[in-house]
Amino acid sequence: MFRMTRLEAKRSVAPALLLVLAVLARIFLWMDVQQWAASWSSLVYSLRSTAWICLPVVLAAAIWHGGRERRSSVSELFAATPRPAPVRLLPALVVVAGAAVVAVAAVIGWAVVIVSGNATFSDGGWPLGLAVGLLAVVAVALLGLGIGRVAPAPVAAPLGAVLLFLVLAVAQVRDGRPANRLVDTALPMLPVTDDFHRVLPSLSAGQAVWLTALGVTGVLLAVAGTTRARVLAAAPAVAGLALGSLVAPSGAIVPEPRATELVCAPEDGRVCVTRVHRAALPDLLPPARKVLDAFAAVPGGPTRVQEDPVSWMLDDGRAAGGAVDPGTVRIELPYRTQQGGIRWEPDTVVDLVAQHAVVDLGCFSDEQGRTRASDASRAVSAVLLGTPADRLGPVARAAHDTLRALPDGERYRRIGEARKAGLACQDPLAAVTGDVATGEGADR
């Protein structure tokens, strides 16, 4: 048996499939490395998202290999041997599926090594998510071998790859669509998620049921000798999809409270980030303290900077009952490095924190309101931080000069009033210049 398997590996598409699949998965995963290199949940999501390009390659190779006997007109000769069809086809099934699994497993191993050195939190569900990704590769390989046995025409392999690519590429864009058990179960990719949420294990369980049944259908197609047997071979896939959709939850993405636990600087506790982004705390600490010190003389000024644990993509804005503390500056961390730190320069992070300390741009729905709020925050930041005013626009420069001409007490009072207005979706620029506020930002 081992000798037959080794011979099958030498004369099959397995070596080429292993190489091409490993290179493709590695390239497409590396293109997104900044997003997953320090997060287990992001790794699972990114790896499963490569299915739209990797699985069509597996399907095409398996279909081509499965139709090899009939294209060479030796199927009747092989059928005359005393060995049963399942035994005769076993080496091909093992070699093609094994090559695909080895290629993807090697890429997974490389990615796991990277994440294990950088991640600061794990919900424990990543091994299951990655295992289901490998199961999808096996299922598609077996299905392709079965299809190749049924349809050995040379056009079947590229046609199958193109059809699967189109289905997965279209399904990949699911942002904003409501959850659907059947769709979530059938697709090898995961619904859109982030570091503050997790995928329920029941979705992976439902997908595992469906993919296992799909692989069984592929095997039955490969060994089927009659039209009736080939039709009946679809039964496991249909039953598996139905059962899997029952196992899968209606909403597979849920908040992960442990990921959003705050981790604060041990010295004074004024700067905090979420547990999942703990590696970013050293990069945030100096800019945040600089802003807090600059606002220390402002009445009602901020006393704390923390990462905003609310996902604007999945939580529909502020969490229910989550009142905003005006003394706390809540920010979304900018783009991160592979090690989980902040990729931006410190001065850019200072500007980001200072802007959020003065205004909440998210509550201004019109362009004019956002522009005036932005000008006010730039003017206030330049005055308090002592940054050059020549980078300011005309409106922000005028507001800056107005503040600079005031006595210290009045200047800080106006900045405090501007903060109140900017965080309450009102016009902070009017407070800075001393005019009566005339406009308000739209509600969230």
Side-chain angles (χ1 to χ4, degrees), residues 172-201:
Q172 180 83 336
V173 185
R174 291 191 286 170
D175 302 35
R177 299 185 185 181
N180 184 291
R181 286 186 180 184
L182 189 63
V183 174
D184 289 345
T185 302
L187 293 177
M189 296 88 73
L190 292 174
V192 176
T193 185
D194 61 18
D195 290 344
F196 299 153
H197 294 74
R198 66 185 179 94
V199 180
L200 289 176

mmCIF file of all heavy atoms in Angstrom, residues 172-201:
data_model
loop_
_atom_site.group_PDB
_atom_site.id
_atom_site.type_symbol
_atom_site.label_atom_id
_atom_site.label_comp_id
_atom_site.label_asym_id
_atom_site.label_seq_id
_atom_site.Cartn_x
_atom_site.Cartn_y
_atom_site.Cartn_z
ATOM 1 N N GLN A 172 -17.489 36.519 -0.331
ATOM 2 C CA GLN A 172 -16.499 37.137 0.555
ATOM 3 C C GLN A 172 -16.936 38.507 1.010
ATOM 4 O O GLN A 172 -16.631 38.943 2.131
ATOM 5 C CB GLN A 172 -15.152 37.240 -0.175
ATOM 6 C CG GLN A 172 -14.046 37.869 0.640
ATOM 7 C CD GLN A 172 -13.377 36.879 1.568
ATOM 8 O OE1 GLN A 172 -13.960 35.873 1.941
ATOM 9 N NE2 GLN A 172 -12.151 37.167 1.945
ATOM 10 N N VAL A 173 -17.697 39.222 0.182
ATOM 11 C CA VAL A 173 -18.147 40.574 0.520
ATOM 12 C C VAL A 173 -19.499 40.443 1.224
ATOM 13 O O VAL A 173 -20.549 40.436 0.590
ATOM 14 C CB VAL A 173 -18.276 41.450 -0.737
ATOM 15 C CG1 VAL A 173 -18.626 42.878 -0.345
ATOM 16 C CG2 VAL A 173 -16.998 41.414 -1.552
ATOM 17 N N ARG A 174 -19.444 40.338 2.558
ATOM 18 C CA ARG A 174 -20.677 40.159 3.324
ATOM 19 C C ARG A 174 -20.871 41.248 4.363
ATOM 20 O O ARG A 174 -21.687 41.114 5.265
ATOM 21 C CB ARG A 174 -20.670 38.802 4.024
ATOM 22 C CG ARG A 174 -20.778 37.628 3.079
ATOM 23 C CD ARG A 174 -21.037 36.352 3.837
ATOM 24 N NE ARG A 174 -19.852 35.882 4.528
ATOM 25 C CZ ARG A 174 -19.859 34.884 5.414
ATOM 26 N NH1 ARG A 174 -20.984 34.303 5.736
ATOM 27 N NH2 ARG A 174 -18.743 34.508 5.996
ATOM 28 N N ASP A 175 -20.107 42.343 4.258
ATOM 29 C CA ASP A 175 -20.215 43.414 5.244
ATOM 30 C C ASP A 175 -21.625 43.986 5.250
ATOM 31 O O ASP A 175 -22.166 44.353 4.219
ATOM 32 C CB ASP A 175 -19.231 44.538 4.919
ATOM 33 C CG ASP A 175 -17.797 44.027 4.883
ATOM 34 O OD1 ASP A 175 -17.610 42.884 4.458
ATOM 35 O OD2 ASP A 175 -16.900 44.778 5.261
ATOM 36 N N GLY A 176 -22.205 44.078 6.456
ATOM 37 C CA GLY A 176 -23.500 44.716 6.591
ATOM 38 C C GLY A 176 -24.679 43.800 6.305
ATOM 39 O O GLY A 176 -25.827 44.191 6.514
ATOM 40 N N ARG A 177 -24.427 42.591 5.817
ATOM 41 C CA ARG A 177 -25.541 41.698 5.540
ATOM 42 C C ARG A 177 -25.970 40.972 6.813
ATOM 43 O O ARG A 177 -25.137 40.629 7.658
ATOM 44 C CB ARG A 177 -25.141 40.672 4.473
ATOM 45 C CG ARG A 177 -24.755 41.300 3.139
ATOM 46 C CD ARG A 177 -24.489 40.232 2.099
ATOM 47 N NE ARG A 177 -24.012 40.830 0.851
ATOM 48 C CZ ARG A 177 -23.714 40.131 -0.239
ATOM 49 N NH1 ARG A 177 -23.837 38.813 -0.226
ATOM 50 N NH2 ARG A 177 -23.294 40.735 -1.325
ATOM 51 N N PRO A 178 -27.260 40.689 6.974
ATOM 52 C CA PRO A 178 -27.716 39.988 8.172
ATOM 53 C C PRO A 178 -27.180 38.564 8.210
ATOM 54 O O PRO A 178 -26.900 37.948 7.177
ATOM 55 C CB PRO A 178 -29.249 40.015 8.028
ATOM 56 C CG PRO A 178 -29.501 40.200 6.563
ATOM 57 C CD PRO A 178 -28.371 41.046 6.067
ATOM 58 N N ALA A 179 -27.033 38.031 9.415
ATOM 59 C CA ALA A 179 -26.536 36.670 9.578
ATOM 60 C C ALA A 179 -27.522 35.674 8.991
ATOM 61 O O ALA A 179 -28.743 35.844 9.074
ATOM 62 C CB ALA A 179 -26.302 36.378 11.064
ATOM 63 N N ASN A 180 -27.005 34.629 8.385
ATOM 64 C CA ASN A 180 -27.827 33.586 7.787
ATOM 65 C C ASN A 180 -27.170 32.248 8.092
ATOM 66 O O ASN A 180 -26.026 32.004 7.699
ATOM 67 C CB ASN A 180 -27.954 33.810 6.281
ATOM 68 C CG ASN A 180 -28.874 32.800 5.616
ATOM 69 O OD1 ASN A 180 -28.550 31.626 5.516
ATOM 70 N ND2 ASN A 180 -30.013 33.280 5.163
ATOM 71 N N ARG A 181 -27.871 31.386 8.788
ATOM 72 C CA ARG A 181 -27.278 30.122 9.208
ATOM 73 C C ARG A 181 -26.809 29.287 8.030
ATOM 74 O O ARG A 181 -25.704 28.728 8.039
ATOM 75 C CB ARG A 181 -28.316 29.314 10.007
ATOM 76 C CG ARG A 181 -28.579 29.825 11.405
ATOM 77 C CD ARG A 181 -29.497 28.850 12.123
ATOM 78 N NE ARG A 181 -29.787 29.279 13.481
ATOM 79 C CZ ARG A 181 -30.498 28.566 14.340
ATOM 80 N NH1 ARG A 181 -30.993 27.399 13.948
ATOM 81 N NH2 ARG A 181 -30.721 29.015 15.558
ATOM 82 N N LEU A 182 -27.648 29.190 7.006
ATOM 83 C CA LEU A 182 -27.311 28.350 5.862
ATOM 84 C C LEU A 182 -26.072 28.872 5.142
ATOM 85 O O LEU A 182 -25.160 28.102 4.802
ATOM 86 C CB LEU A 182 -28.503 28.294 4.900
ATOM 87 C CG LEU A 182 -28.388 27.292 3.748
ATOM 88 C CD1 LEU A 182 -28.314 25.877 4.293
ATOM 89 C CD2 LEU A 182 -29.570 27.434 2.795
ATOM 90 N N VAL A 183 -26.011 30.180 4.930
ATOM 91 C CA VAL A 183 -24.862 30.772 4.234
ATOM 92 C C VAL A 183 -23.607 30.657 5.084
ATOM 93 O O VAL A 183 -22.532 30.282 4.587
ATOM 94 C CB VAL A 183 -25.158 32.246 3.886
ATOM 95 C CG1 VAL A 183 -23.925 32.919 3.307
ATOM 96 C CG2 VAL A 183 -26.317 32.336 2.898
ATOM 97 N N ASP A 184 -23.714 30.976 6.381
ATOM 98 C CA ASP A 184 -22.540 30.903 7.259
ATOM 99 C C ASP A 184 -22.001 29.482 7.352
ATOM 100 O O ASP A 184 -20.789 29.278 7.478
ATOM 101 C CB ASP A 184 -22.896 31.407 8.659
ATOM 102 C CG ASP A 184 -23.112 32.915 8.701
ATOM 103 O OD1 ASP A 184 -22.715 33.586 7.725
ATOM 104 O OD2 ASP A 184 -23.672 33.411 9.687
ATOM 105 N N THR A 185 -22.885 28.493 7.300
ATOM 106 C CA THR A 185 -22.446 27.100 7.370
ATOM 107 C C THR A 185 -21.796 26.655 6.069
ATOM 108 O O THR A 185 -20.761 25.979 6.070
ATOM 109 C CB THR A 185 -23.645 26.189 7.686
ATOM 110 O OG1 THR A 185 -24.244 26.590 8.915
ATOM 111 C CG2 THR A 185 -23.204 24.741 7.800
ATOM 112 N N ALA A 186 -22.379 27.035 4.942
ATOM 113 C CA ALA A 186 -21.901 26.541 3.648
ATOM 114 C C ALA A 186 -20.576 27.151 3.238
ATOM 115 O O ALA A 186 -19.759 26.487 2.586
ATOM 116 C CB ALA A 186 -22.957 26.821 2.575
ATOM 117 N N LEU A 187 -20.321 28.386 3.620
ATOM 118 C CA LEU A 187 -19.095 29.057 3.173
ATOM 119 C C LEU A 187 -17.911 28.677 4.052
ATOM 120 O O LEU A 187 -18.042 28.602 5.279
ATOM 121 C CB LEU A 187 -19.289 30.566 3.198
ATOM 122 C CG LEU A 187 -20.291 31.131 2.183
ATOM 123 C CD1 LEU A 187 -20.433 32.631 2.362
ATOM 124 C CD2 LEU A 187 -19.874 30.809 0.758
ATOM 125 N N PRO A 188 -16.742 28.451 3.462
ATOM 126 C CA PRO A 188 -15.556 28.129 4.270
ATOM 127 C C PRO A 188 -14.978 29.344 4.986
ATOM 128 O O PRO A 188 -14.179 29.197 5.903
ATOM 129 C CB PRO A 188 -14.569 27.589 3.225
ATOM 130 C CG PRO A 188 -14.981 28.236 1.947
ATOM 131 C CD PRO A 188 -16.479 28.388 2.015
ATOM 132 N N MET A 189 -15.357 30.560 4.547
ATOM 133 C CA MET A 189 -14.886 31.765 5.231
ATOM 134 C C MET A 189 -15.741 32.033 6.466
ATOM 135 O O MET A 189 -16.822 31.466 6.623
ATOM 136 C CB MET A 189 -14.952 32.968 4.303
ATOM 137 C CG MET A 189 -14.035 32.851 3.100
ATOM 138 S SD MET A 189 -14.804 32.021 1.713
ATOM 139 C CE MET A 189 -15.942 33.280 1.161
ATOM 140 N N LEU A 190 -15.254 32.920 7.322
ATOM 141 C CA LEU A 190 -15.984 33.304 8.522
ATOM 142 C C LEU A 190 -16.669 34.642 8.313
ATOM 143 O O LEU A 190 -16.219 35.462 7.504
ATOM 144 C CB LEU A 190 -15.031 33.410 9.720
ATOM 145 C CG LEU A 190 -14.423 32.105 10.213
ATOM 146 C CD1 LEU A 190 -13.386 32.396 11.299
ATOM 147 C CD2 LEU A 190 -15.497 31.170 10.747
ATOM 148 N N PRO A 191 -17.769 34.909 9.027
ATOM 149 C CA PRO A 191 -18.367 36.247 8.974
ATOM 150 C C PRO A 191 -17.376 37.297 9.464
ATOM 151 O O PRO A 191 -16.412 36.988 10.177
ATOM 152 C CB PRO A 191 -19.572 36.129 9.928
ATOM 153 C CG PRO A 191 -19.849 34.667 10.038
ATOM 154 C CD PRO A 191 -18.536 33.986 9.880
ATOM 155 N N VAL A 192 -17.616 38.537 9.087
ATOM 156 C CA VAL A 192 -16.723 39.627 9.459
ATOM 157 C C VAL A 192 -16.648 39.754 10.985
ATOM 158 O O VAL A 192 -17.676 39.773 11.672
ATOM 159 C CB VAL A 192 -17.198 40.955 8.848
ATOM 160 C CG1 VAL A 192 -16.321 42.113 9.309
ATOM 161 C CG2 VAL A 192 -17.183 40.864 7.326
ATOM 162 N N THR A 193 -15.433 39.838 11.504
ATOM 163 C CA THR A 193 -15.248 39.967 12.947
ATOM 164 C C THR A 193 -14.044 40.871 13.214
ATOM 165 O O THR A 193 -13.423 41.379 12.286
ATOM 166 C CB THR A 193 -15.034 38.582 13.587
ATOM 167 O OG1 THR A 193 -14.971 38.719 15.005
ATOM 168 C CG2 THR A 193 -13.757 37.944 13.091
ATOM 169 N N ASP A 194 -13.730 41.078 14.486
ATOM 170 C CA ASP A 194 -12.575 41.887 14.865
ATOM 171 C C ASP A 194 -12.015 41.364 16.175
ATOM 172 O O ASP A 194 -12.460 40.328 16.689
ATOM 173 C CB ASP A 194 -12.938 43.370 14.953
ATOM 174 C CG ASP A 194 -14.014 43.670 15.987
ATOM 175 O OD1 ASP A 194 -14.255 42.812 16.875
ATOM 176 O OD2 ASP A 194 -14.630 44.743 15.934
ATOM 177 N N ASP A 195 -11.038 42.093 16.732
ATOM 178 C CA ASP A 195 -10.357 41.615 17.937
ATOM 179 C C ASP A 195 -11.241 41.641 19.180
ATOM 180 O O ASP A 195 -10.902 41.000 20.179
ATOM 181 C CB ASP A 195 -9.109 42.468 18.204
ATOM 182 C CG ASP A 195 -8.018 42.223 17.187
ATOM 183 O OD1 ASP A 195 -8.095 41.201 16.471
ATOM 184 O OD2 ASP A 195 -7.092 43.057 17.085
ATOM 185 N N PHE A 196 -12.330 42.404 19.154
ATOM 186 C CA PHE A 196 -13.190 42.539 20.323
ATOM 187 C C PHE A 196 -14.343 41.532 20.318
ATOM 188 O O PHE A 196 -15.184 41.552 21.215
ATOM 189 C CB PHE A 196 -13.769 43.950 20.403
ATOM 190 C CG PHE A 196 -12.724 45.022 20.536
ATOM 191 C CD1 PHE A 196 -12.968 46.306 20.077
ATOM 192 C CD2 PHE A 196 -11.502 44.748 21.116
ATOM 193 C CE1 PHE A 196 -12.001 47.298 20.195
ATOM 194 C CE2 PHE A 196 -10.535 45.738 21.237
ATOM 195 C CZ PHE A 196 -10.781 47.009 20.776
ATOM 196 N N HIS A 197 -14.408 40.679 19.316
ATOM 197 C CA HIS A 197 -15.483 39.695 19.195
ATOM 198 C C HIS A 197 -14.886 38.316 18.943
ATOM 199 O O HIS A 197 -13.727 38.184 18.588
ATOM 200 C CB HIS A 197 -16.440 40.070 18.063
ATOM 201 C CG HIS A 197 -17.212 41.320 18.314
ATOM 202 N ND1 HIS A 197 -16.633 42.574 18.229
ATOM 203 C CD2 HIS A 197 -18.505 41.532 18.655
ATOM 204 C CE1 HIS A 197 -17.552 43.495 18.511
ATOM 205 N NE2 HIS A 197 -18.685 42.885 18.767
ATOM 206 N N ARG A 198 -15.695 37.302 19.124
ATOM 207 C CA ARG A 198 -15.261 35.941 18.855
ATOM 208 C C ARG A 198 -16.326 35.191 18.074
ATOM 209 O O ARG A 198 -17.509 35.560 18.079
ATOM 210 C CB ARG A 198 -14.958 35.199 20.155
ATOM 211 C CG ARG A 198 -16.165 34.954 21.045
ATOM 212 C CD ARG A 198 -15.755 34.315 22.358
ATOM 213 N NE ARG A 198 -16.895 34.096 23.248
ATOM 214 C CZ ARG A 198 -17.572 32.950 23.311
ATOM 215 N NH1 ARG A 198 -17.218 31.922 22.548
ATOM 216 N NH2 ARG A 198 -18.588 32.815 24.125
ATOM 217 N N VAL A 199 -15.883 34.155 17.397
ATOM 218 C CA VAL A 199 -16.790 33.300 16.644
ATOM 219 C C VAL A 199 -17.238 32.162 17.553
ATOM 220 O O VAL A 199 -16.398 31.475 18.158
ATOM 221 C CB VAL A 199 -16.101 32.735 15.387
ATOM 222 C CG1 VAL A 199 -17.059 31.837 14.616
ATOM 223 C CG2 VAL A 199 -15.610 33.870 14.504
ATOM 224 N N LEU A 200 -18.530 31.956 17.671
ATOM 225 C CA LEU A 200 -19.035 30.883 18.524
ATOM 226 C C LEU A 200 -18.561 29.524 18.005
ATOM 227 O O LEU A 200 -18.579 29.271 16.795
ATOM 228 C CB LEU A 200 -20.563 30.918 18.557
ATOM 229 C CG LEU A 200 -21.190 32.088 19.318
ATOM 230 C CD1 LEU A 200 -22.713 32.047 19.191
ATOM 231 C CD2 LEU A 200 -20.789 32.067 20.782
ATOM 232 N N PRO A 201 -18.128 28.634 18.895
ATOM 233 C CA PRO A 201 -17.669 27.307 18.458
ATOM 234 C C PRO A 201 -18.745 26.517 17.710
ATOM 235 O O PRO A 201 -18.416 25.648 16.899
ATOM 236 C CB PRO A 201 -17.292 26.619 19.778
ATOM 237 C CG PRO A 201 -17.050 27.727 20.748
ATOM 238 C CD PRO A 201 -17.971 28.832 20.343
#
